[in-house]
Amino acid sequence: SRLSGWLVSTSVPELIANRPIVRSWALVATLAVSFGLLSALLAYLFGRRISEPVRALAVRAGELGRGETVAPIESSIPEVRAVGEALVKASETREQMEHSLRESEDRLRVALASAETGAWDWDLVAGVLTWDARMRELWGLAPEDPVSFDVFASALNPLDRDATFAAVERSQDPEANAEYD
């Protein structure tokens, strides 16, 4: 003491002296573990809230890819709802297009049958001709017989060959903008 000049000394076991520090560290560690567990729980819950609708979107996308009708998705996440609505609209559009294509194919089939002709396609780059069954029948070819321009040309009336070859040449000229008829 400064007043009395006495020197006082006390002795306390280290265990007792460190007890407040140990308690503080134990409290900090407990709080850290508690916050970590709470964070993990919240991450799990929010993750499920996000992952389940995203998984549902993946299922709907698979349905669209397989040509099935896509049902709407109920979700509190606006982005998931927006993608779900886009998948539903894509499904509806695909169904409308398929219906329109079937109708168009039916009209073509009726037109070809009434004209007693067939349909064919010529890939100029690959040099491949594709004929339907009626075209093959008109040319006297079996379904397994190869089709080529030479096969086509061999069956032309000799009086029509020059005009046909000229029409084919004109239709291949990008400057002429002509169609083969």
Side-chain angles (χ1 to χ4, degrees), residues 25 30 39 58 85 139 153 167 179:
W25 278 112
T30 303
S39 297
E85 289 169 7
W139 255 253
E179 294 184 11

Side-chain angles (χ1 to χ4, degrees), residues 24-93:
S24 296
W25 278 112
L27 179 61
V28 167
T30 303
L31 289 174
V33 169
S34 298
F35 283 130
L37 291 174
L38 179 62
S39 297
L41 176 64
L42 290 174
Y44 172 77
L45 294 175
F46 284 116
R48 278 190 49 170
R49 182 172 176 241
I50 293 170
S51 67
E52 287 177 4
V54 169
R55 221 176 280 120
L57 284 176
V59 168
R60 299 304 195 287
E63 292 170 351
L64 180 63
R66 290 187 300 274
E68 300 170 7
T69 301
V70 176
I73 292 178
E74 297 295 325
S75 175
S76 61
I77 303 171
E79 293 82 0
V80 169
R81 276 196 320 270
V83 172
E85 289 169 7
L87 288 173
V88 169
K89 286 181 184 176
S91 173
E92 292 168 353
T93 300

Side-chain angles (χ1 to χ4, degrees), residues 8 11 13 24 33 35 79 90 96 102 106 109 117 120 127-128 135 143 146 172 179 181:
V8 178
S11 175
S24 296
V33 169
F35 283 130
E79 293 82 0
Q96 291 169 352
R102 278 191 298 275
D106 290 343
R109 202 172 0 270
T117 189
W120 58 275
V128 176
M135 281 296 292
Q172 293 180 52
E179 294 184 11
D181 185 10

